[in-house]
Amino acid sequence: MTAEHTKQGVFSRRSLIKGIAGLGGGLVVASFANLFGIQSASAGHDRKDDPQLILNLAATAETLATTFYYAALTSAQFRLSEEDVLYLKFALDAEKYHLDFLVSNGGRALTNQFYVPANLLRDPALFVQVGADAETAFVGAYLAATRRFAELGADRLAGTTAQHACSEAQHLALIREIGGFVPNNLPLPLPIYYNVSDAVPTLAPFLQGGQGFIGPVTAPTADQIMRALGGVKSDRTEPYTRVF
């Protein structure tokens, strides 16, 4: 994977974990993994994520996503076009919809407080980079969840996490569009995780902080999200679990 050059600079899609988790240097990822009951934070096909772990990790990631998009809509110190704001509102609404599904199925976010790169809301290039990398991680994690649920014979949950992966891929494209990059550059989403818990090193700095991170920032409430959306609401589609 090579860097993409546009009028706005260079956008590297290389080394997701190095790009994000590396910002929080010195983190003890294993200690974060222990909070989820994960025996090892290293990637490996021998580890078997259980459904509760998958739901909890996904709920934590979705809570982070709502925090990210809410902060952009309410606190960004760089200019966003009306079209960009609309993209972000639809993304925020979708992430809240994902989170509500996960919670209704027993998922529990580990925390509602997160750390973020210090210049995230002042530097548009950093905002786009972190947003695109985070969405890449979310897509990869949901693909891993789909694989694992299929392995467990939970076909309806597998279908639903595949839906979530599709939605996150849309957000990735829109973040790239906001940054001035070709939005649909990938013929297939990146298969970066085999297990959902392999995403732990990517999430760790957002939960633990570290060099270059500030916080914690509290996730928005449902009422705060509603106010930020200002009446914008995505066309509701039913999850696979409710259709079949």
Side-chain angles (χ1 to χ4, degrees), residues 67-174:
T67 305
F68 176 82
Y69 286 115
Y70 177 80
L73 287 166
T74 60
S75 303
Q77 298 176 33
F78 49 82
R79 181 183 175 278
L80 288 165
S81 70
E82 290 184 13
E83 186 178 58
D84 293 343
V85 169
L86 189 59
Y87 286 164
L88 295 175
K89 285 185 176 182
F90 273 109
L92 173 59
D93 185 60
E95 304 294 18
K96 179 63 166 59
Y97 191 52
H98 298 170
L99 178 59
D100 289 344
F101 170 83
L102 294 164
V103 171
S104 69
N105 282 271
R108 183 182 63 84
L110 178 68
T111 182
N112 70 338
Q113 293 190 317
F114 301 93
Y115 296 84
V116 297
N119 294 320
L120 180 68
L121 299 177
R122 292 194 296 268
D123 182 345
L126 178 62
F127 172 80
V128 169
Q129 180 72 62
V130 171
D133 282 349
E135 290 293 358
T136 299
F138 298 156
V139 173
Y142 274 123
L143 291 176
T146 300
R147 179 205 64 77
R148 179 57 176 152
F149 281 136
E151 184 178 52
L152 291 169
D155 54 338
R156 291 172 175 80
L157 276 174
T160 304
T161 52
Q163 287 178 293
H164 285 198
C166 292
S167 179
E168 304 297 357
Q170 290 181 328
H171 301 166
L172 170 60
L174 293 175

Side-chain angles (χ1 to χ4, degrees), residues 2 52-53 162 188 230:
T2 58
Q52 189 63 58
L53 171 63
L188 292 172

Side-chain angles (χ1 to χ4, degrees), residues 9 90 194 213:
F90 273 109
Y194 186 76
F213 278 68

Side-chain angles (χ1 to χ4, degrees), residues 43-61:
H45 295 180
D46 292 337
R47 187 170 60 252
K48 303 292 185 183
D49 292 346
D50 63 57
Q52 189 63 58
L53 171 63
I54 294 172
L55 292 170
N56 290 350
L57 277 169
T60 303

